[in-house]
Amino acid sequence: MLHIYIIMKPSSFCTMSTYKCCFELVGLLLSLSIYHPNETIYIIADSKTKDEIEKITPKPKLNIVWFVELDSYSHMDRLIMDKKGIFGEFLKNKMKIINYALNDNNDTLLLDSDIIITDTIDDIDLTKDVGLSPQFINEEYINKTGFYNAGMLWCKSNDVSDYWSSIIDNNDSCPEQINMIKLKKFNYFEFGENYNLQCWRYYLSTEGKEQIESYISIINNKICYKTKPIKFIHTHFHDARFKAFNQLIIQHLINSKNYKILLIIYRVIHNKWIIKVPKQPISGLGSHNNDSFRQLPILYKVQHSDVDVQYINNSIHCWIEPNVLLYDRPNLLWMNNEIFKSSLLLLGNGDIEVEGRTIKEKNNKLSVYPWIFWPRNAMVLEKILKKHNIKSYNDRSNESIFIGNIENSTQQTYRNNAQWKDVITEYYCTTGKTHLFKQDEYLMKLRDSKFGLCLRGYGSKCHREVELMAFGTVPIITSEVCVHSFMEPLKENIHYIYVKDPTDLQEKIKQVNQTQWEQMSNNCFDWYQRNVHSKNSWNTMIHRILFEL
């Protein structure tokens, strides 16, 4: 007799959550977005949970269908519900959300909110009616809690969920789970050991913790169980009882350089994204004025309720917790052994094809990607933007401008060309650390100009490029300035005009009529708002890290 097995992804997902476990739901939704982007998940929840999820950064890359029906449970935990004798009734909402999902889909996969997806779920046997997940624990605890885990169930029939609801034992400590073995009356399959890796399996398996540990390994940069990729882990990261298991998983994720899932786990642990900034003053290599990028995390915290800043003493670099390195220095002189602790390095200044390649040569397992760049003083710039509108073409009194300093030998090499003064309307290039204009005066001059000349500084990027774009002033890019090494690269004649030398400049400017300038100006302003302004750039950045890199 020929048996035909159809193995596929689930056509939908579903879960339930109240506000007390909303921070864990964030982990499920963001990790599901990585491995099942744009798929549909049905959520039965209370109002506070829905409101909180709709504020998080980034937005989950999912089609979320909400059923707000759990407000009466918002302020209750399991202990309170047990005392009231309503925990079993509460858990029937699992079956309810399954039915809601099945109203629109052929099948659905129920997942508890304290699950972190670690690989694509693609082992569903569509020839069956129900998929069950064994707990893989010892007989004593099977007798107490049941053979199958209620945190995961796939089905394609309301008959399964309705029957499950009818066999809930309100007198048991695991009311929805203890009798799940009766679901075997349906045509069923069992998920393998690489699914639903629970903390309880680690602590209560007949094989013991050391043996379970031996089954977990890294193969082809994936965390595996007995050589098969682990599909998801199921644990409470806030529960001290599970510390050893949680640390085991985290260490394997560090070893496999899985920065996306690590970021999400630490988002769950802290209930926020944590940006770590070196605490000043630091003498020597780590010394910094806390300007440039280091103003942005403070602004992110103001703009986003799920971002916090932590000042640290054990690093000279900025990080997203736990180990995404935000390299914000002008060149590689500050590149120390901390690079080997990171899973991902975002390169601010510098060229991904030059400095980025050098970093990869030091650590070829490290992911290195281009990042954003930023103003010298983002706080001042954003205040000006809030107070003043962007000027139109005809309102700008100045055609072109350059304001800069020569403070070191590198800048001397790239900026010591007197010919620029002859072709730029307003040209100021001073020597030394004393600036000709205050920061707000300098920015207002950029705002009043149609074009701004960009000459390379200490690094191959300069604050000036992004400061010009913030005000819709079109950059004039010279050959030594890096414009392609951004998360969103700049495009010639879209965001900037390129000139080879001073003799080329005036002809290039003449070729840009008012309509073309207005389009380029708008493109520049939009790029800045999307990629650099604190209102949007954190969300843009974390979205790209999780879903695009």
Side-chain angles (χ1 to χ4, degrees):
M1 182 177 179
L2 180 64
H3 295 277
I4 299 176
Y5 298 95
I6 305 174
I7 307 298
M8 291 185 65
K9 299 177 184 178
S11 60
S12 68
F13 298 86
C14 59
T15 191
M16 66 180 289
S17 177
T18 56
Y19 187 69
K20 287 186 178 295
C21 54
C22 180
F23 68 98
E24 293 179 321
L25 178 62
V26 173
L28 172 64
L29 297 179
L30 292 180
S31 60
L32 188 65
S33 297
I34 292 172
Y35 295 102
H36 290 267
N38 305 315
E39 296 192 22
T40 301
I41 183 168
Y42 295 76
I43 305 175
I44 190 166
D46 55 345
S47 301
K48 290 180 71 176
T49 295
K50 180 175 183 290
D51 291 344
E52 190 70 16
I53 294 299
E54 289 180 342
K55 290 188 296 184
I56 68 169
T57 54
K59 301 299 181 189
K61 203 173 180 181
L62 299 167
N63 174 30
I64 301 178
V65 181
W66 291 98
F67 292 87
V68 181
E69 301 181 11
L70 303 184
D71 282 354
S72 61
Y73 300 100
S74 285
H75 304 292
M76 289 189 278
D77 58 18
R78 178 172 180 170
L79 183 62
I80 294 173
M81 283 188 263
D82 277 334
K83 286 182 178 179
K84 290 178 174 286
I86 60 172
F87 189 54
E89 289 301 312
F90 169 72
L91 290 172
K92 287 186 178 182
N93 286 289
K94 286 189 177 184
M95 300 86 197
K96 184 182 284 190
I97 197 62
I98 287 173
N99 287 338
Y100 286 151
L102 291 177
N103 287 340
D104 300 328
N105 301 275
N106 293 328
D107 62 272
T108 193
L109 178 63
L110 172 75
L111 296 172
D112 272 357
S113 61
D114 58 333
I115 280 171
I116 301 288
I117 310 297
T118 53
D119 197 45
T120 305
I121 297 170
D122 53 8
D123 299 326
I124 304 297
D125 185 350
L126 296 180
T127 67
K128 308 298 185 183
D129 295 316
V130 61
L132 301 168
S133 178
Q135 297 204 80
F136 302 106
I137 57 177
N138 62 49
E139 189 172 351
E140 176 188 354
Y141 282 92
I142 286 175
N143 292 334
K144 289 180 179 180
T145 65
F147 186 83
Y148 295 111
N149 176 241
M152 174 192 190
L153 180 137
W154 173 86
C155 73
K156 64 180 182 182
S157 169
N158 295 108
D159 292 339
V160 173
S161 51
D162 290 343
Y163 180 68
W164 188 16
S165 180
S166 73
I167 60 174
I168 281 184
D169 184 353
N170 289 303
N171 296 316
D172 193 86
S173 59
C174 297
E176 91 283 33
Q177 188 168 280
I178 192 69
N179 288 328
M180 283 183 74
I181 197 161
K182 294 181 180 180
L183 295 176
K184 290 175 71 173
K185 78 171 197 169
F186 296 96
N187 193 11
Y188 75 97
F189 72 92
E190 291 183 349
F191 288 97
E193 291 176 289
N194 61 320
Y195 273 87
N196 201 13
L197 182 57
Q198 286 186 278
C199 45
W200 292 121
R201 189 193 308 186
Y202 178 73
Y203 292 104
L204 302 178
S205 168
T206 57
E207 297 180 277
K209 289 188 285 188
E210 288 186 4
Q211 189 63 49
I212 297 298
E213 287 182 20
S214 73
Y215 294 147
I216 304 173
S217 62
I218 305 300
I219 302 174
N220 296 326
N221 292 325
K222 286 191 174 186
I223 181 171
C224 296
Y225 193 89
K226 294 184 179 180
T227 74
K228 291 185 178 180
I230 295 173
K231 298 297 184 175
F232 59 82
I233 53 175
H234 191 173
T235 186
H236 295 291
F237 285 99
H238 281 190
D239 196 323
R241 295 174 298 171
F242 309 139
K243 182 178 179 180
F245 173 77
N246 294 339
Q247 286 301 315
L248 173 68
I249 296 299
I250 287 171
Q251 189 57 55
H252 278 288
L253 290 168
I254 290 172
N255 294 343
S256 64
K257 302 288 187 183
N258 192 332
Y259 58 86
K260 298 185 180 188
I261 298 304
L262 280 167
L263 282 171
I264 291 169
I265 286 174
Y266 277 83
R267 170 62 172 81
V268 171
I269 290 171
H270 296 292
N271 199 19
K272 289 178 184 288
W273 302 106
I274 304 295
I275 302 176
K276 299 189 290 187
V277 177
K279 186 177 181 180
Q280 299 296 329
I282 298 174
S283 60
L285 196 61
S287 179
H288 200 283
N289 293 328
N290 278 336
D291 57 0
S292 303
F293 168 71
R294 300 189 186 193
Q295 290 189 359
L296 280 177
I298 300 169
L299 295 171
Y300 291 157
K301 181 178 178 178
V302 172
Q303 297 279 7
H304 304 287
S305 60
D306 65 343
V307 175
D308 204 356
V309 183
Q310 183 182 107
Y311 289 93
I312 56 175
N313 295 311
N314 60 349
S315 176
I316 67 168
H317 295 299
C318 298
W319 303 80
I320 306 176
E321 177 80 344
N323 65 351
V324 171
L325 201 164
L326 304 175
Y327 194 77
D328 68 332
R329 307 313 296 261
N331 54 43
L332 297 187
L333 292 177
W334 288 264
M335 188 58 63
N336 59 5
N337 286 334
E338 292 184 66
I339 180 177
F340 299 109
K341 299 177 183 177
S342 61
S343 293
L344 168 69
L345 186 146
L346 296 181
L347 185 65
N349 209 333
D351 188 333
I352 197 67
E353 299 299 331
V354 181
E355 287 85 355
R357 185 173 297 169
T358 301
I359 295 169
K360 288 290 288 183
E361 288 171 357
K362 291 184 178 182
N363 185 353
N364 61 13
K365 293 183 179 179
L366 176 63
S367 295
V368 183
Y369 288 98
W371 190 20
I372 62 171
F373 207 55
W374 38 80
R376 170 72 71 183
N377 194 319
M379 291 180 176
V380 173
L381 191 151
E382 291 192 12
K383 284 181 181 178
I384 293 174
L385 282 175
K386 187 174 182 179
K387 185 176 180 180
H388 299 282
N389 293 327
I390 301 304
K391 283 192 169 185
S392 68
Y393 182 88
N394 292 320
D395 286 339
R396 298 188 183 226
S397 63
N398 194 26
E399 181 181 69
S400 61
I401 193 167
F402 176 82
I403 304 174
N405 272 30
I406 296 175
E407 299 180 9
N408 52 61
S409 59
T410 304
Q411 292 174 332
Q412 173 79 15
T413 299
Y414 296 110
R415 294 182 179 177
N416 189 24
N417 186 341
Q419 294 180 42
W420 290 114
K421 187 175 182 179
D422 298 330
V423 294
I424 295 293
T425 312
E426 280 196 61
Y427 183 88
Y428 309 93
C429 189
T430 55
T431 301
K433 295 186 180 295
T434 301
H435 294 271
L436 191 61
F437 300 100
K438 294 179 181 178
Q439 185 67 199
D440 57 343
E441 294 173 335
Y442 158 77
L443 293 171
M444 290 296 279
K445 279 190 166 291
L446 300 189
R447 175 176 174 266
D448 195 40
S449 301
K450 296 182 178 71
F451 298 91
L453 176 65
C454 298
L455 301 176
R456 179 182 163 149
Y458 195 30
S460 58
K461 295 176 185 173
C462 187
H463 302 293
R464 187 178 295 96
E465 290 95 76
V466 293
E467 290 164 345
L468 290 165
M469 295 173 74
F471 297 104
T473 303
V474 177
I476 302 167
I477 299 296
T478 52
S479 59
E480 297 88 1
V481 175
C482 178
V483 290
H484 64 271
S485 191
F486 288 93
M487 276 187 162
E488 182 183 338
L490 305 184
K491 298 178 181 178
E492 186 177 357
N493 300 323
I494 302 294
H495 301 106
Y496 68 89
I497 60 173
Y498 171 75
V499 298
K500 292 179 291 186
D501 52 47
T503 61
D504 190 33
L505 186 142
Q506 288 184 327
E507 185 62 32
K508 283 289 186 75
I509 287 179
K510 288 178 183 178
Q511 292 174 8
V512 180
N513 61 37
Q514 180 175 342
T515 300
Q516 291 169 321
W517 181 91
E518 288 172 346
Q519 185 60 58
M520 292 177 73
S521 176
N522 289 334
N523 291 340
C524 289
F525 176 76
D526 291 345
W527 185 97
Y528 184 90
Q529 289 290 314
R530 189 166 55 249
N531 290 284
V532 186
H533 195 289
S534 65
K535 184 177 181 180
N536 306 304
S537 64
W538 165 256
N539 189 65
T540 300
M541 179 171 70
I542 195 66
H543 181 278
R544 286 176 176 152
I545 291 171
L546 293 181
F547 306 141
E548 296 179 18
L549 297 187

